[in-house]
Amino acid sequence: MSSESANPPRGKPVTRRTVLSRRDALDAEVREAATARICDEVEVLLRTLPAGAVVGLYAAKGTEVATDDIDRRARALGLRVAYP
């Protein structure tokens, strides 16, 4: 048996399921801390945009990173926020 058949390449669907299951398994406190850190980092980027610029966000569902704080920060900086 070749090493390729013993360790077949992981396709995108398998990788996606693996990553999502790991994210879903995170403790709520860990997830909240990560979300806060992400929001802080995004704010640094938002501050580089001119007032009136449009920022695209998604409405988080489930265990996705919450974007409501990013929305508030963007609007406070005079940015426009758009959702798909």
Side-chain angles (χ1 to χ4, degrees):
M1 181 191 298
S2 74
S3 64
E4 284 185 3
S5 61
N7 296 311
R10 295 172 58 129
K12 185 176 178 180
V14 172
T15 301
R16 182 170 173 74
R17 280 193 304 272
T18 301
V19 170
L20 291 177
S21 68
R22 287 180 182 171
R23 184 189 70 197
D24 293 345
L26 288 174
D27 180 83
E29 288 180 12
V30 171
R31 194 176 305 116
E32 288 173 20
T35 294
R37 191 171 65 247
I38 290 167
C39 289
D40 290 344
E41 292 293 327
V42 169
E43 184 175 359
V44 170
L45 297 173
L46 294 175
R47 290 183 175 280
T48 68
L49 300 174
V54 178
V55 176
L57 288 178
Y58 63 88
K61 62 180 182 177
T63 59
E64 293 176 339
V65 171
T67 59
D68 52 330
D69 194 31
I70 295 171
D71 182 307
R72 281 191 295 278
R73 294 178 190 203
R75 292 175 194 272
L77 292 168
L79 302 171
R80 295 172 31 200
V81 180
Y83 290 86

